[in-house]
Amino acid sequence: MTDWQAFTVETKDHVAQVTLIGPGKGNAMGPDFWRELPEVFQALDADPDVRAIVLTGSGKHFSYGLDLPAMSGTFGPLLADRALAAPRTDFLVDVRRLQAAITAVADCRKPVIAAVSGWCIGGGLDLIAAADIRYASAEAKFSLREAKVAIVADVGSLQRLPGIIGEGHLRELAYTAKDIDAARAEKIGLVNDVFPDQEAVLDAAHATAREIAANPPLVVQGVKDVLEQRRKDEIAAGLRYVSAWNAAFLPSEDLTEAVKAVFEKRAPEFRGQ
Protein backbone atom coordinates (compact mmCIF):
# COMPACT_ATOMS: atom_id res chain seq x y z
CA MET A 1 0.00 0.00 0.00
CA THR A 2 0.94 3.68 -0.22
CA ASP A 3 3.44 5.24 2.17
CA TRP A 4 1.23 7.40 4.38
CA GLN A 5 2.23 10.42 6.46
CA ALA A 6 -0.32 9.95 9.26
CA PHE A 7 -0.69 6.15 9.27
CA THR A 8 1.05 2.85 8.90
CA VAL A 9 -0.86 -0.08 7.43
CA GLU A 10 0.19 -3.72 7.82
CA THR A 11 -1.74 -6.79 6.70
CA LYS A 12 -1.26 -10.37 7.85
CA ASP A 13 -3.59 -13.38 7.68
CA HIS A 14 -6.54 -11.31 6.39
CA VAL A 15 -6.24 -8.75 9.23
CA ALA A 16 -5.02 -5.20 8.58
CA GLN A 17 -3.63 -3.02 11.36
CA VAL A 18 -4.02 0.71 10.83
CA THR A 19 -1.85 2.72 13.23
CA LEU A 20 -2.08 6.48 13.78
CA ILE A 21 1.41 7.99 13.76
CA GLY A 22 0.80 11.72 13.95
CA PRO A 23 2.86 13.65 12.92
CA GLY A 24 1.28 15.84 15.62
CA LYS A 25 1.96 15.13 19.29
CA GLY A 26 -0.23 12.37 20.67
CA ASN A 27 -1.27 11.41 17.11
CA ALA A 28 -3.15 14.71 16.85
CA MET A 29 -5.28 14.95 13.72
CA GLY A 30 -3.79 17.43 11.28
CA PRO A 31 -4.18 17.91 7.52
CA ASP A 32 -2.38 14.66 6.63
CA PHE A 33 -4.73 12.66 8.85
CA TRP A 34 -7.90 14.10 7.34
CA ARG A 35 -6.64 13.74 3.77
CA GLU A 36 -5.38 10.19 4.16
CA LEU A 37 -8.00 8.58 6.42
CA PRO A 38 -10.63 8.02 3.70
CA GLU A 39 -7.95 6.89 1.25
CA VAL A 40 -6.68 4.28 3.72
CA PHE A 41 -10.10 2.85 4.47
CA GLN A 42 -11.30 2.90 0.89
CA ALA A 43 -8.18 0.96 -0.09
CA LEU A 44 -8.79 -1.59 2.67
CA ASP A 45 -12.44 -1.84 1.69
CA ALA A 46 -11.37 -2.72 -1.86
CA ASP A 47 -8.67 -5.20 -0.83
CA PRO A 48 -10.07 -8.76 -1.08
CA ASP A 49 -7.30 -10.06 1.20
CA VAL A 50 -8.53 -7.91 4.13
CA ARG A 51 -11.42 -9.26 6.20
CA ALA A 52 -11.07 -7.28 9.44
CA ILE A 53 -9.21 -4.15 10.57
CA VAL A 54 -7.55 -3.22 13.87
CA LEU A 55 -7.29 0.54 14.45
CA THR A 56 -4.82 1.79 17.06
CA GLY A 57 -2.40 4.59 17.91
CA SER A 58 1.38 4.67 18.06
CA GLY A 59 3.12 5.61 21.28
CA LYS A 60 1.31 5.93 24.61
CA HIS A 61 -1.87 7.55 23.30
CA PHE A 62 -4.58 6.79 20.78
CA SER A 63 -5.15 10.44 19.79
CA TYR A 64 -5.28 13.89 21.34
CA GLY A 65 -7.92 14.75 18.74
CA LEU A 66 -7.95 17.70 16.36
CA ASP A 67 -4.56 19.36 15.94
CA LEU A 68 -5.81 22.91 16.56
CA PRO A 69 -2.58 24.73 15.59
CA ALA A 70 -2.22 22.70 12.38
CA MET A 71 -5.90 23.10 11.51
CA SER A 72 -6.20 26.78 12.48
CA GLY A 73 -6.61 27.69 8.81
CA THR A 74 -10.03 26.08 8.94
CA PHE A 75 -11.19 28.48 11.67
CA GLY A 76 -9.12 31.60 10.97
CA PRO A 77 -11.04 32.99 7.95
CA LEU A 78 -14.34 32.26 9.70
CA LEU A 79 -13.32 34.34 12.71
CA ALA A 80 -11.69 37.12 10.70
CA ASP A 81 -14.78 37.82 8.56
CA ARG A 82 -17.49 36.10 10.51
CA ALA A 83 -20.34 38.19 9.06
CA LEU A 84 -19.58 37.19 5.47
CA ALA A 85 -21.10 34.31 3.55
CA ALA A 86 -17.91 33.19 1.76
CA PRO A 87 -15.88 32.08 4.82
CA ARG A 88 -18.96 30.40 6.26
CA THR A 89 -19.47 28.49 3.02
CA ASP A 90 -15.82 27.47 2.92
CA PHE A 91 -16.06 26.31 6.52
CA LEU A 92 -19.17 24.26 5.74
CA VAL A 93 -17.32 22.52 2.91
CA ASP A 94 -14.33 21.83 5.20
CA VAL A 95 -16.47 20.39 7.99
CA ARG A 96 -18.30 18.10 5.59
CA ARG A 97 -14.93 16.93 4.24
CA LEU A 98 -13.82 16.02 7.78
CA GLN A 99 -17.16 14.29 8.39
CA ALA A 100 -16.71 12.26 5.22
CA ALA A 101 -13.26 11.17 6.38
CA ILE A 102 -14.66 9.68 9.60
CA THR A 103 -17.65 8.23 7.76
CA ALA A 104 -15.24 6.32 5.50
CA VAL A 105 -14.39 4.21 8.56
CA ALA A 106 -18.05 3.44 9.26
CA ASP A 107 -18.71 2.77 5.57
CA CYS A 108 -15.82 0.33 5.20
CA ARG A 109 -17.36 -3.10 4.61
CA LYS A 110 -14.72 -4.78 6.76
CA PRO A 111 -15.37 -4.73 10.54
CA VAL A 112 -13.14 -2.26 12.40
CA ILE A 113 -11.91 -2.91 15.95
CA ALA A 114 -10.45 0.07 17.83
CA ALA A 115 -7.72 -0.69 20.38
CA VAL A 116 -7.39 2.38 22.61
CA SER A 117 -4.60 3.20 25.03
CA GLY A 118 -3.88 6.48 26.79
CA TRP A 119 -5.87 9.53 25.74
CA CYS A 120 -8.72 9.43 23.24
CA ILE A 121 -9.95 13.01 22.98
CA GLY A 122 -12.40 14.85 20.74
CA GLY A 123 -11.73 13.71 17.19
CA GLY A 124 -10.29 10.50 18.57
CA LEU A 125 -13.68 9.75 20.09
CA ASP A 126 -15.36 10.59 16.78
CA LEU A 127 -13.03 8.10 15.13
CA ILE A 128 -13.66 5.17 17.48
CA ALA A 129 -17.41 5.88 17.40
CA ALA A 130 -17.21 4.98 13.69
CA ALA A 131 -15.58 1.63 14.53
CA ASP A 132 -17.61 -1.55 15.05
CA ILE A 133 -15.97 -2.70 18.28
CA ARG A 134 -13.97 -0.77 20.89
CA TYR A 135 -11.45 -2.17 23.40
CA ALA A 136 -9.43 -0.17 25.92
CA SER A 137 -6.39 -0.63 28.11
CA ALA A 138 -6.84 0.02 31.82
CA GLU A 139 -5.12 3.43 31.71
CA ALA A 140 -7.14 4.74 28.75
CA LYS A 141 -9.04 8.00 29.17
CA PHE A 142 -11.79 9.44 27.00
CA SER A 143 -13.16 12.96 26.57
CA LEU A 144 -15.75 14.56 24.32
CA ARG A 145 -13.72 17.74 24.74
CA GLU A 146 -15.19 20.12 22.14
CA ALA A 147 -17.39 22.17 24.48
CA LYS A 148 -14.28 23.24 26.41
CA VAL A 149 -12.90 24.84 23.24
CA ALA A 150 -16.20 26.52 22.28
CA ILE A 151 -17.06 24.07 19.51
CA VAL A 152 -20.15 21.91 18.97
CA ALA A 153 -18.72 18.47 18.12
CA ASP A 154 -19.45 18.10 14.43
CA VAL A 155 -17.73 15.07 12.89
CA GLY A 156 -19.72 12.20 14.32
CA SER A 157 -19.73 11.71 18.10
CA LEU A 158 -23.10 13.39 18.66
CA GLN A 159 -24.62 11.32 15.85
CA ARG A 160 -23.06 7.89 16.48
CA LEU A 161 -22.68 7.70 20.26
CA PRO A 162 -26.44 7.65 21.08
CA GLY A 163 -26.59 4.16 19.58
CA ILE A 164 -23.52 3.11 21.55
CA ILE A 165 -23.85 4.64 25.03
CA GLY A 166 -27.39 6.06 25.04
CA GLU A 167 -28.68 9.63 25.22
CA GLY A 168 -28.16 10.25 28.95
CA HIS A 169 -24.50 9.25 29.02
CA LEU A 170 -23.80 11.13 25.80
CA ARG A 171 -25.41 14.33 27.06
CA GLU A 172 -23.37 14.14 30.27
CA LEU A 173 -20.12 13.77 28.32
CA ALA A 174 -21.02 16.42 25.72
CA TYR A 175 -22.29 19.09 28.15
CA THR A 176 -19.50 18.72 30.72
CA ALA A 177 -16.61 17.83 28.36
CA LYS A 178 -15.36 15.78 31.32
CA ASP A 179 -12.72 13.06 31.19
CA ILE A 180 -13.68 9.46 31.96
CA ASP A 181 -11.46 6.47 32.62
CA ALA A 182 -11.59 3.02 31.05
CA ALA A 183 -13.70 1.56 33.87
CA ARG A 184 -16.37 4.21 33.37
CA ALA A 185 -16.17 3.80 29.60
CA GLU A 186 -16.83 0.08 29.97
CA LYS A 187 -19.70 0.68 32.40
CA ILE A 188 -21.56 2.97 29.98
CA GLY A 189 -20.88 0.74 26.98
CA LEU A 190 -18.39 2.98 25.20
CA VAL A 191 -15.91 0.09 25.13
CA ASN A 192 -16.69 -3.62 24.98
CA ASP A 193 -13.91 -4.69 27.32
CA VAL A 194 -10.88 -3.40 29.25
CA PHE A 195 -7.47 -5.07 29.28
CA PRO A 196 -4.49 -4.60 31.61
CA ASP A 197 -2.16 -2.68 29.30
CA GLN A 198 -1.46 -1.52 25.75
CA GLU A 199 0.02 -4.83 24.63
CA ALA A 200 -2.92 -6.79 26.01
CA VAL A 201 -5.57 -4.59 24.36
CA LEU A 202 -3.85 -4.83 20.99
CA ASP A 203 -3.55 -8.61 21.34
CA ALA A 204 -7.26 -8.84 22.19
CA ALA A 205 -8.21 -6.71 19.19
CA HIS A 206 -6.20 -8.94 16.88
CA ALA A 207 -7.69 -12.08 18.43
CA THR A 208 -11.21 -10.79 17.73
CA ALA A 209 -10.16 -9.72 14.23
CA ARG A 210 -8.88 -13.26 13.53
CA GLU A 211 -12.19 -14.72 14.74
CA ILE A 212 -14.03 -12.41 12.34
CA ALA A 213 -11.64 -13.21 9.49
CA ALA A 214 -12.26 -16.94 9.95
CA ASN A 215 -15.92 -16.49 9.01
CA PRO A 216 -17.25 -16.23 5.43
CA PRO A 217 -16.21 -12.69 4.42
CA LEU A 218 -19.27 -11.86 2.33
CA VAL A 219 -21.58 -12.93 5.16
CA VAL A 220 -19.69 -10.77 7.66
CA GLN A 221 -19.89 -7.83 5.27
CA GLY A 222 -23.60 -8.51 4.83
CA VAL A 223 -24.16 -8.46 8.59
CA LYS A 224 -22.40 -5.11 8.83
CA ASP A 225 -24.40 -3.73 5.92
CA VAL A 226 -27.71 -4.77 7.51
CA LEU A 227 -26.72 -3.34 10.92
CA GLU A 228 -25.62 -0.03 9.41
CA GLN A 229 -28.94 0.45 7.58
CA ARG A 230 -30.78 0.88 10.87
CA ARG A 231 -29.17 4.25 11.56
CA LYS A 232 -27.34 5.36 8.43
CA ASP A 233 -29.91 7.93 7.26
CA GLU A 234 -30.36 9.37 10.75
CA ILE A 235 -26.59 9.80 11.18
CA ALA A 236 -26.23 11.42 7.75
CA ALA A 237 -29.03 13.88 8.50
CA GLY A 238 -27.49 14.73 11.87
CA LEU A 239 -24.09 15.38 10.28
CA ARG A 240 -25.64 17.69 7.68
CA TYR A 241 -27.51 19.60 10.39
CA VAL A 242 -24.53 20.12 12.72
CA SER A 243 -22.28 21.25 9.86
CA ALA A 244 -24.86 23.89 8.88
CA TRP A 245 -25.35 24.88 12.55
CA ASN A 246 -21.64 25.41 13.06
CA ALA A 247 -21.25 27.33 9.80
CA ALA A 248 -23.98 29.66 11.07
CA PHE A 249 -23.19 29.95 14.78
CA LEU A 250 -19.65 28.75 15.51
CA PRO A 251 -17.97 32.17 14.99
CA SER A 252 -17.84 33.72 18.43
CA GLU A 253 -15.64 35.62 20.85
CA ASP A 254 -15.55 32.44 22.94
CA LEU A 255 -14.07 30.46 20.05
CA THR A 256 -11.46 33.16 19.46
CA GLU A 257 -10.65 33.06 23.17
CA ALA A 258 -10.41 29.25 23.12
CA VAL A 259 -7.97 29.27 20.18
CA LYS A 260 -5.86 32.00 21.81
CA ALA A 261 -5.80 30.08 25.08
CA VAL A 262 -4.51 26.97 23.30
CA PHE A 263 -1.67 28.90 21.67
CA GLU A 264 -0.90 30.81 24.88
CA LYS A 265 -1.15 27.65 27.03
CA ARG A 266 -3.58 29.13 29.55
CA ALA A 267 -7.12 28.60 30.77
CA PRO A 268 -9.77 30.35 28.62
CA GLU A 269 -12.22 32.90 29.99
CA PHE A 270 -15.59 32.44 28.26
CA ARG A 271 -18.14 35.28 28.22
CA GLY A 272 -21.00 33.78 26.18
CA GLN A 273 -20.40 36.10 23.23
Side-chain angles (χ1 to χ4, degrees):
M1 293 188 61
T2 304
D3 289 330
W4 309 101
Q5 300 301 309
F7 302 92
T8 61
V9 181
E10 300 173 297
T11 301
K12 180 181 179 182
D13 298 331
H14 302 299
V15 175
Q17 179 174 314
V18 177
T19 305
L20 283 65
I21 59 172
K25 183 179 179 181
N27 304 317
M29 300 169 168
D32 289 334
F33 171 89
W34 297 105
R35 182 182 66 257
E36 294 177 354
L37 181 65
E39 296 175 0
V40 168
F41 276 85
Q42 287 161 11
L44 293 172
D45 180 86
D47 187 344
D49 189 49
V50 174
R51 298 183 180 182
I53 301 166
V54 173
L55 176 63
T56 192
S58 62
K60 295 181 180 180
H61 303 288
F62 183 78
S63 179
Y64 286 173
L66 186 71
D67 188 339
L68 277 175
M71 297 294 289
S72 60
T74 301
F75 300 101
L78 190 68
L79 296 175
D81 290 309
R82 62 190 186 189
L84 300 179
R88 293 175 187 271
T89 302
D90 292 342
F91 180 78
L92 179 65
V93 171
D94 280 340
V95 170
R96 289 182 174 174
R97 176 177 59 85
L98 306 190
Q99 291 177 340
I102 297 292
T103 297
V105 178
D107 284 349
C108 181
R109 291 175 296 168
K110 320 300 171 64
V112 180
I113 304 159
V116 180
S117 297
W119 280 108
C120 179
I121 302 172
L125 196 55
D126 293 308
L127 180 57
I128 68 167
D132 296 272
I133 298 167
R134 288 154 294 278
Y135 293 153
S137 58
E139 87 290 348
K141 292 184 179 180
F142 304 83
S143 181
L144 186 53
R145 187 70 60 86
E146 282 85 349
K148 285 189 175 179
V149 289
I151 296 173
V152 175
D154 58 7
V155 292
S157 285
L158 299 185
Q159 290 72 38
R160 294 188 172 95
L161 286 179
I164 297 169
I165 64 176
E167 287 281 349
H169 292 307
L170 172 58
R171 288 170 188 263
E172 181 181 355
L173 296 183
Y175 296 157
T176 65
K178 65 175 19 174
D179 306 333
I180 62 170
D181 61 18
R184 176 67 176 168
E186 182 182 22
K187 184 175 181 180
I188 67 176
L190 178 59
V191 298
N192 296 52
D193 210 342
V194 176
F195 299 87
D197 53 36
Q198 188 172 30
E199 182 179 0
V201 72
L202 193 57
D203 287 346
H206 275 276
T208 299
R210 288 192 296 270
E211 286 188 74
I212 293 170
N215 289 329
L218 295 181
V219 169
V220 172
Q221 293 170 30
V223 170
K224 179 167 182 176
D225 184 48
V226 170
L227 289 172
E228 289 295 320
Q229 290 307 309
R230 296 180 303 158
R231 55 185 188 146
K232 198 167 187 176
D233 291 344
E234 181 179 352
I235 290 171
L239 290 170
R240 287 193 302 274
Y241 183 85
V242 72
S243 63
W245 196 99
N246 270 352
F249 299 115
L250 189 66
S252 67
E253 291 181 8
D254 282 345
L255 177 58
T256 301
E257 167 65 9
V259 173
K260 286 182 178 178
V262 169
F263 281 103
E264 296 171 6
K265 298 181 179 180
R266 61 172 173 80
E269 295 183 11
F270 295 129
R271 303 180 186 278
Q273 297 294 325

